[in-house]
Amino acid sequence: MKFTANLAGAVSGLTIMVSAAAVNAEVLFWSTQAKPVEEAQAMREQVLGGQDVDYQPNDGGPWMTRLNAELQAGSGSIGVLGALHGDFSAMNPDDLVDLGELGVGAASATFNDLAKLGTADSQYIPWMQASYIMAANKKALEHLPAGADINALTYDQLIEWSGNVKKATGEAKFGFPAGPKGLKHRFFQGYLYPSYTDGVVRTFASDAAVTAWEKMRELWAVTNPASTNFSFLQEQLLSEDVWIAFDHTSRLAAAFNERPDDFVAFPAPAGPTGRGFMPVIAGVAIPRTAPDMDAAKALVAHMLKPETQIATLRATNFFPVVDVALPDDLPPSVQAAGGAVAIMSASADANPGLLPAGLGDKGGDFNRVFVDSFERIVLAGQPIRAVLDDQKKTLEKIMNETGAPCWAPDAPSEGACPVE
């Protein structure tokens, strides 16, 4: 099981930028990630041990306040930034240094393109990732459609597979986190919509969205009806009420850790506009005010080394973005999920649906639009077009009130992302 990376030019880049193994001057690593005390300490000792680095994690507000103060002053002490894609996308690209000369990057060409933030330059370097995946009891594998590759399924094949299982067992055994605490909204935002509409906000009420919801109805027809009570699918996998499931990696972990030989993890399926999936991408960047550019660039290169990526996985439970074999001593859940995440993010048809950004306290209202649409269309059987036209009004109001610009896979916008 390996994470595949585009490391073209990495050797020459690292030779130039990292002539020594250690960073040669103290660098302030200003991060929004690995904030819990245990994670921060693990970062300092396991990930950055031997480097002359001051790792300081903070909440988003203080993180941005100090960064903006230094940028406005034209000088500062922050050497390297660690943050989520959404944090960087909210910045002025001119405030970040082009890191293309380092010659390092992520497995996913899509991730590397996202890191350019709409410019021609590498505004940040992908650093680590988390995501949602699929899991199945190995008993289900014999019912896969003829010719289907579990690592490259389509939605039609997933529906056929779930239907085959239902016919063979007399029970619907696809599991969906539709319970009160389930992450169903992330499925619609990051998986279904990108796979069928190549968007989320702009395409919310499009004809392609109608097709997406029709496909969701087909999937629901072979879904365990008790899914409206399911929130953590690891429980149903272990009880075998479910043989095939979608959920966040952390919500499937217990199944793999308790019975690692009984389950398999695999990527989300693909639709007409790609393999939609929702990565949580964190990156490293250098502000234009960094006091020691060479030391800062050396630290960025250090964070992309395979051994550093493994240490980061142990410290944070975020998965690597570069080519690395996972050690055998990692928990089975990490081994299984890591392979699925790697294949999914590096797939040629990868179409990431990023976490919503810029919504402030309206994030819950945004999620509710998708949950309400699901409940009305799939559970209540209301006409798809009528529901989408109605929910579109609510979505437009949220976007206009927040002024949030579009995020991938929607095309960029000037100002509030339009609901077209």
Side-chain angles (χ1 to χ4, degrees):
M1 181 188 310
K2 302 195 77 175
F3 285 75
T4 308
N6 176 11
L7 296 178
V11 175
S12 61
L14 290 176
T15 300
I16 294 171
M17 300 311 309
V18 196
S19 56
V23 178
N24 294 318
E26 182 171 83
V27 179
L28 174 56
F29 191 162
W30 193 241
S31 176
T32 63
Q33 302 305 295
K35 291 179 294 183
V37 174
E38 296 82 2
E39 289 187 12
Q41 193 62 23
M43 282 290 296
R44 296 183 183 107
E45 295 177 356
Q46 301 170 24
V47 180
L48 299 169
Q51 310 297 315
D52 196 3
V53 176
D54 180 14
Y55 182 77
Q56 293 295 334
N58 281 273
D59 290 333
W63 181 86
M64 185 61 76
T65 297
R66 175 168 177 173
L67 174 59
N68 282 338
E70 294 193 3
L71 292 170
Q72 290 171 11
S75 65
S77 58
I78 298 173
V80 170
L81 300 168
L84 295 177
H85 171 86
D87 298 318
F88 290 128
S89 65
M91 295 179 63
N92 183 340
D94 293 337
D95 288 332
L96 299 173
V97 174
D98 177 16
L99 298 177
E101 67 183 85
L102 287 179
V104 294
S108 169
T110 305
F111 284 9
N112 293 327
D113 287 342
L114 288 172
K116 294 179 180 179
L117 301 179
T119 73
D121 301 327
S122 296
Q123 302 294 328
Y124 72 84
I125 300 294
W127 168 26
M128 55 187 186
Q129 61 175 320
S131 194
Y132 304 71
I133 58 170
M134 304 287 296
N137 190 309
K138 290 181 180 178
K139 294 178 182 178
L141 298 182
E142 65 180 278
H143 303 292
L144 275 165
D149 178 354
I150 195 171
N151 288 319
L153 290 176
T154 66
Y155 274 92
D156 285 336
Q157 288 175 327
L158 174 63
I159 292 166
E160 183 180 352
W161 183 20
S162 300
N164 291 345
V165 170
K166 184 178 179 181
K167 291 176 184 176
T169 65
E171 300 176 15
K173 286 187 173 289
F174 177 76
F176 186 70
K181 296 183 180 180
L183 297 171
K184 50 188 173 293
H185 52 290
R186 296 305 190 208
F187 175 81
F188 306 129
Q189 297 162 4
Y191 293 78
L192 187 68
Y193 261 80
S195 296
Y196 278 87
T197 77
D198 199 26
V200 180
V201 176
R202 288 180 181 271
T203 59
F204 175 78
S206 63
D207 289 343
V210 173
T211 301
W213 285 108
E214 288 172 344
K215 199 60 58 176
M216 187 64 207
R217 278 180 170 171
E218 290 182 36
L219 182 58
W220 189 257
V222 289
T223 296
N224 186 322
S227 287
T228 51
N229 297 315
F230 297 167
S231 294
F232 289 72
L233 267 296
Q234 58 196 8
E235 300 166 9
Q236 284 70 42
L237 283 169
L238 287 168
S239 68
E240 299 195 10
D241 289 328
V242 160
W243 279 11
I244 308 168
F246 162 88
D247 215 333
H248 191 279
T249 54
S250 66
R251 296 185 174 205
L252 296 169
F256 288 97
N257 288 335
E258 291 185 28
R259 289 162 48 191
D261 296 333
D262 291 348
F263 303 105
V264 60
F266 54 99
T273 56
R275 193 169 303 278
F277 72 105
M278 180 171 275
V280 180
I281 308 171
V284 282
I286 299 175
R288 57 176 170 79
T289 50
D292 187 332
M293 285 293 174
D294 287 344
K297 289 178 180 179
L299 176 55
V300 169
H302 173 75
M303 301 310 294
L304 271 291
K305 291 179 180 178
E307 59 268 29
T308 311
Q309 292 269 293
I310 290 295
T312 302
L313 169 60
R314 294 185 187 277
T316 66
N317 289 315
F318 268 66
F319 293 101
V321 296
V322 305
D323 185 16
V324 60
L326 296 180
D328 293 336
D329 62 347
L330 290 171
S333 61
V334 175
Q335 293 273 3
V341 170
I343 294 169
M344 189 163 59
S345 61
S347 63
D349 57 355
N351 193 13
L354 300 184
L355 284 166
L359 298 175
D361 60 4
K362 295 291 184 181
D365 294 339
F366 180 85
N367 294 339
R368 190 74 237 170
V369 169
F370 291 85
V371 173
D372 286 350
S373 297
F374 165 71
E375 291 178 350
R376 293 176 62 182
I377 291 171
V378 178
L379 301 185
Q382 296 179 19
I384 298 175
R385 169 51 61 198
V387 171
L388 293 182
D389 287 345
D390 185 34
Q391 293 294 119
K392 176 181 177 179
K393 301 170 187 174
T394 303
L395 182 57
E396 284 178 329
K397 182 178 179 182
I398 293 169
M399 302 312 297
N400 290 333
E401 287 181 356
T402 62
C406 297
W407 55 87
D410 278 311
S413 65
E414 291 291 336
C417 190
V419 188
E420 296 172 345

